[in-house]
Amino acid sequence: MQHQSGAPLPSPPARVETSRLVLRPWTPAEAPLLKSAVDISVDHLRPWMPWAANAPFSIAETEEHVARLSTAFHAGDDFAYGVLSADESEVVGGSGLHPRIGRGGLEIGYWIRVDLTRRGYATEVARALTEAGLAVAGVDRVEIHCDPNNTPSRRIPERLGYRLVETRRADKFTPAGDPRDTLVFRISNGAQPPLTRKNAS
């Protein structure tokens, strides 16, 4: 894993398991399942996810996307995880640990298939990747960035013990082209660990 500056750091684990989910790099077999998950979630994702602005994608585009994500993961450049059911037969969503916030930091992103929202999956994913990210040698902080208007998303870092450290004014644009703020939540090594699974909602 090469941060924006400095020497490479070890990569996060290629497989993370929770009580209900498996997080691992995408494989070609998931491309049809991923396309289906995105297709049914387009209206749900489009207000918040810039990449969803151009969805739905063809199966060929999805296969190419999966291949790029897998290559980047195994090269240590970026770490996108498929969020799968425990038996790995169903795509629940997607997530990632992204080394794009400077040396010693990883940023978590996540989305959940629309028909599986409000079941605690995003919190479960963020908790697991927070623990995995902070366990990587040389990583001193993990961040979650979100739109202030995305209330369900902003509740996740708050629930997991992250601190709101910055509000970046009009630093991004909505998919509709309007300027929007970004909330920056951070948890640092040595801080209170994320909530235990049995206590989280």
Side-chain angles (χ1 to χ4, degrees), residues 5-191:
S5 63
L9 297 173
S11 297
R15 185 180 181 90
V16 177
E17 296 184 10
T18 72
S19 60
R20 299 185 292 172
L21 302 170
V22 171
L23 283 65
R24 60 163 173 75
W26 296 102
T27 69
E30 277 91 54
L33 297 174
L34 175 58
K35 173 175 167 49
S36 177
V38 171
D39 284 353
I40 67 172
S41 304
V42 166
D43 291 340
H44 171 69
L45 296 172
R46 194 168 280 147
W48 317 114
M49 301 290 181
W51 57 263
N54 297 318
F57 304 103
S58 70
I59 187 62
E61 289 172 323
T62 305
E63 289 170 345
E64 292 172 2
H65 181 62
V66 164
R68 287 194 298 270
L69 294 179
S70 178
T71 297
F73 196 112
H74 295 295
D77 295 329
D78 193 37
F79 307 98
Y81 291 86
V83 178
L84 308 174
S85 57
D87 64 0
E88 302 182 49
S89 67
E90 184 178 25
V91 168
V92 176
S95 192
L97 284 167
H98 308 295
R100 59 192 178 199
I101 58 171
R103 182 171 174 79
L106 291 168
E107 180 189 343
I108 294 177
Y110 44 79
W111 64 274
I112 299 297
R113 205 176 78 198
V114 65
D115 58 324
L116 297 177
T117 58
R118 301 184 181 277
R119 303 186 190 186
Y121 285 126
T123 300
E124 192 169 326
V125 168
R127 181 188 309 110
L129 290 188
T130 298
E131 294 169 351
L134 289 176
V136 175
V139 170
D140 57 29
R141 70 195 184 283
V142 174
E143 295 181 357
I144 293 174
H145 298 184
C146 69
D147 186 325
N149 294 317
N150 192 345
T151 301
S153 184
R154 69 178 292 175
R155 284 177 177 162
I156 292 169
E158 293 170 344
R159 189 177 295 133
L160 296 178
Y162 282 67
R163 293 183 304 109
L164 177 61
V165 296
E166 185 180 1
T167 300
R168 297 176 180 168
R169 301 295 182 188
D171 72 320
K172 293 186 181 298
F173 292 91
T174 68
D178 300 317
R180 73 157 176 88
D181 298 343
T182 299
L183 301 180
V184 178
F185 291 91
R186 180 181 299 158
I187 192 166
S188 301
N189 257 322

